[in-house]
């Protein structure tokens, strides 16, 4: 059976949900096609369960960081309760609440695998093999996200291993966990499972963690993980893996001649776009690759203005909150074009996404927390911007000392000297993930430093770090 809608959205994750909901609010009709759970990876196997796993350990650490409270906190975390709390947030994959939200918003839902079958046509194959065709009057939006990558390690494709999906949804704490990778997923999951009692070893190919961040971020997380008891082996890669059929243990051989034995192996070395089976070839777009887009999220590899891509699949800013941001801009642009009005990318209109190029906030819930927005000093200099960077120890702020007896944190500000505005900020330490939004407002708003100086932080709060950074700059 064929059906027609103004817009067909393939992928019901955060980006797909938001773009469809906004389109209906703008007066158009929209349908979401989803092969798995409505709500996507973030709701069930990424952001939500990972933070639920991390929060109990962080709460215990916060209590132990203050004399008087420290003496009342003893013993290990209750792993069963932690996992049960996580499951309450994820519903163990039950997406009925998210599906109800779509229905309440006036968005139709078709379950099955969607793929393009020519311009503005989407074929949906249901779980029972039946195929139906959806026609889009104005646009098709791809919001299919990404999937984990497995590196070319001998034996890896022959055994079951953890990726981010299994690491966030496992029902038991492994006694020994080996993690391959040194990025956000590797660091967060090493933190979570170590706090739950697992013995954790990180195999990091590079010589630092979080290599795309300011060096202080990786240094502080390294110190924090080591303090938790995580073993970090820098400059080491896995060369061969095997799982014993009887004991189910995994043997990991490394390129420095060592052999590790663990109960679970987590591979967290990157992700790739889920575009291999979207029917892109039917409209002349190369399959299996990222989908470059303009500031309205229109796919630039295709003429016309009917195919869009929001979220991780376009590789601009692969984060849930930025997928939602892009979705808002994309929906507004589609609505404008459907009404016969122009939507010029990069023109400063409300429907033009641009912050995902220069003001992307990131939050990592390790111990300590790290957060950033905008450009690193290195990225800014490589872009040819004349910058000056200032740094300050958050430990030296009165509010931080009062917050925790052993507070440790670092702050770095990157200033565009030509314009006198902040273009990057990195924070580490307790509350870093909450402090970063202040920096985001400063970067997006391009607030002149002379004006920012008048935004006085309350005393005694950790936010006083802003005053100290501006003083370090010379104001």
């Amino acid at each position: 059976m064929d059906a027609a809608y103004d817009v067909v959205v393939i992928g019901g994750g955060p980006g797909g949900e938001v773009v469809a909901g906004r389109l209906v609010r703008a007066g158009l009709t929209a349908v979401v096609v989803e092969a798995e759970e409505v709500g996507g990876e973030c709701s069930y196997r990424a952001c939500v369960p990972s933070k639920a796993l991390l929060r109990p350990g962080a709460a215990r650490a916060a209590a132990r960081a203050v004399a008087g409270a420290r003496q009342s906190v003893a013993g290990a975390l209750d792993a069963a309760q932690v996992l049960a709390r996580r499951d309450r947030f994820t519903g163990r994959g039950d997406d009925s609440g998210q599906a109800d939200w779509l229905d309440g918003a006036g968005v139709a839902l078709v379950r099955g695998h969607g793929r393009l079958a020519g311009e503005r046509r989407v074929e949906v194959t249901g779980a029972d093999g039946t195929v139906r065709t959806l026609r889009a009057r104005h646009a098709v939006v791809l919001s299919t996200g990404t999937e984990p990558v497995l590196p070319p390690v001998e034996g890896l494709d022959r055994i079951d291993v953890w990726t981010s999906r299994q690491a966030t949804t496992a029902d038991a704490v492994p006694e020994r966990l080996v993690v391959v990778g040194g990025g956000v997923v590797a660091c967060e999951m090493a933190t979570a499972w170590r706090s739950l009692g697992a013995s954790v070893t990180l195999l990091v190919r590079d010589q630092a963690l979080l290599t795309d961040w300011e060096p202080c971020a990786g240094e502080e997380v390294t110190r924090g993980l080591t303090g938790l008891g995580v073993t970090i082996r820098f400059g080491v890669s896995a060369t061969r893996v095997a799982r014993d059929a009887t004991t189910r243990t995994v043997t990991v051989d490394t390129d420095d001649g060592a052999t590790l034995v663990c109960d679970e192996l987590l591979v967290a070395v990157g992700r790739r776009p889920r575009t291999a089976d979207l029917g892109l070839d039917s409209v002349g777009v190369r399959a299996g690759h990222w989908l470059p887009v303009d500031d309205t999220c229109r796919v630039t590899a295709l003429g016309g203005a009917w195919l869009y891509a929001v979220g991780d699949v376009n590789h601009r800013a692969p984060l849930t909150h930025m997928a939602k941001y892009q979705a808002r801009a994309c929906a507004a642009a589609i609505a404008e074009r459907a009404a016969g009005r122009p939507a010029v990318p990069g023109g400063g209109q409300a429907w033009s996404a641009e912050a995902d190029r220069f003001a992307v906030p990131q939050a990592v819930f390790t111990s300590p927390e790290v957060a950033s927005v905008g450009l690193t000093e290195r990225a800014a200099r490589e872009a040819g911007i004349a910058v000056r960077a200032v740094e300050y120890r958050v430990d030296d702020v009165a509010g931080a000392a009062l917050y925790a007896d052993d507070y440790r944190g670092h702050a770095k500000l990157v200033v565009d000297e030509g314009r006198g505005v902040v273009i990057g900020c990195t924070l580490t330490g307790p509350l870093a993930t909450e402090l970063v939004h202040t920096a985001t407002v400063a970067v997006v708003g391009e607030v002149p430093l002379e004006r920012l100086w008048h935004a006085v932080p309350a005393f005694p709060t950790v936010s006083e770090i802003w005053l100290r950074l501006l003083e370090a700059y010379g104001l």
Side-chain angles (χ1 to χ4, degrees):
M1 170 185 280
D2 287 7
Y5 297 86
D6 291 327
V7 181
V8 177
V9 181
I10 303 179
E17 287 181 310
V18 171
V19 75
R22 302 281 286 206
L23 286 164
V24 170
R25 285 172 56 185
L28 301 178
T29 60
V31 59
V32 166
V33 179
E34 177 54 58
E36 296 182 313
E37 299 93 352
V38 178
E41 201 81 352
C42 179
S43 297
Y44 309 104
R45 294 175 290 270
C47 320
V48 172
S50 66
K51 303 315 167 284
L53 290 173
L54 287 157
R55 179 57 190 157
R60 180 181 59 176
R64 288 179 172 176
V66 180
R70 180 182 305 121
Q71 288 72 19
S72 68
V73 180
L77 294 176
D78 186 324
Q81 288 297 319
V82 172
L83 297 178
R85 180 175 183 268
R86 174 205 61 191
D87 291 345
R88 288 198 297 275
F89 280 102
T90 64
R92 297 187 67 85
D94 180 1
D95 70 349
S96 56
Q98 302 262 25
D100 287 345
W101 181 90
L102 285 180
D103 183 60
V107 178
L109 171 63
V110 174
R111 294 189 181 273
H113 177 73
R115 58 195 317 275
L116 293 168
E119 184 172 333
R120 294 185 175 89
R121 292 176 62 85
V122 174
E123 288 185 349
V124 183
T125 304
D128 60 358
T130 59
V131 179
R132 61 182 298 186
T133 300
L134 305 176
R135 292 183 293 106
R137 300 185 187 95
H138 297 293
V140 174
V141 181
L142 305 178
S143 185
T144 50
T146 59
E147 59 190 7
V149 169
L150 293 182
V153 175
E154 183 183 347
L156 195 57
D157 59 347
R158 297 194 296 273
I159 67 172
D160 56 310
V161 297
W162 281 9
T163 65
S164 55
R165 285 191 161 198
Q166 292 76 25
T168 56
T169 59
D171 290 328
V173 180
E175 182 178 344
R176 299 159 298 181
L177 174 66
V178 170
V179 181
V180 177
V184 172
V185 172
C187 291
E188 284 195 341
M189 290 298 92
T191 302
W193 290 106
R194 176 62 193 137
S195 73
L196 289 169
S199 171
V200 180
T201 299
L202 269 176
L203 301 181
V204 185
R205 179 186 60 187
D206 300 310
Q207 294 298 327
L209 300 176
L210 304 176
T211 53
D212 290 336
W213 291 59
E214 293 284 6
C216 62
E219 292 164 3
E220 293 289 340
V221 172
T222 298
R223 185 177 290 106
L225 286 172
T226 302
L228 287 175
V230 174
T231 299
I232 306 176
R233 302 184 62 191
F234 289 111
V236 176
S237 297
T239 58
R240 181 181 179 276
V241 299
R243 187 181 287 273
D244 187 281
T246 302
T247 65
R248 302 301 296 161
T249 57
V250 179
T251 300
V252 182
D253 295 331
T254 62
D255 58 3
D256 64 351
T259 297
L260 306 176
V261 178
C262 60
D263 300 287
E264 296 294 348
L265 173 65
L266 166 59
V267 180
V269 297
R271 302 181 70 84
R272 64 188 174 202
R274 299 178 73 176
T275 58
D277 190 21
L278 281 182
L280 289 166
D281 53 326
S282 72
V283 294
V285 177
R286 190 170 58 161
H289 296 269
W290 304 103
L291 297 173
V293 297
D294 65 17
D295 283 352
T296 66
C297 293
R298 182 187 64 83
V299 175
T300 55
L302 192 67
W306 68 270
L307 185 63
Y308 297 78
V310 300
D312 294 8
V313 74
N314 66 35
H315 209 224
R316 283 171 65 119
L319 297 158
T320 296
H321 45 281
M322 299 313 292
K324 295 179 179 180
Y325 165 72
Q326 291 175 2
R328 294 191 291 271
C330 179
I334 291 172
E336 290 293 313
R337 287 172 172 145
R341 294 186 291 267
V344 182
Q349 296 90 342
W351 55 82
S352 172
E354 56 179 28
D356 58 2
R357 290 185 283 109
F358 70 91
V360 178
Q362 302 181 75
V364 183
F365 295 82
T366 43
S367 178
E369 295 179 356
V370 296
S372 73
V373 64
L375 300 177
T376 63
E377 180 182 3
R378 181 179 65 186
R381 294 190 186 282
E382 289 176 349
I385 303 172
V387 297
R388 178 183 167 198
V390 293
E391 302 184 52
Y392 199 90
R393 291 296 311 177
V394 188
D395 330 2
D396 294 334
V397 173
L402 288 165
Y403 183 84
D405 297 340
D406 59 352
Y407 193 107
R408 182 183 178 90
H410 192 95
K412 181 172 181 178
L413 210 60
V414 181
V415 177
D416 181 336
E417 290 282 79
R419 296 185 296 143
V421 298
V422 177
I423 59 172
C425 180
T426 297
L427 300 154
T428 77
L431 298 181
T433 56
E434 297 297 333
L435 292 171
V436 74
H437 188 61
T438 304
T440 303
V441 172
V443 174
V444 173
E446 299 180 320
V447 184
L449 292 184
E450 290 80 2
R451 189 62 187 166
L452 194 59
W453 184 83
H454 293 283
V456 182
F459 179 87
T461 65
V462 183
S463 293
E464 193 181 355
I465 184 61
W466 276 93
L467 172 61
R468 301 308 173 200
L469 285 167
L470 293 178
E471 288 178 338
Y473 184 76
L475 296 179

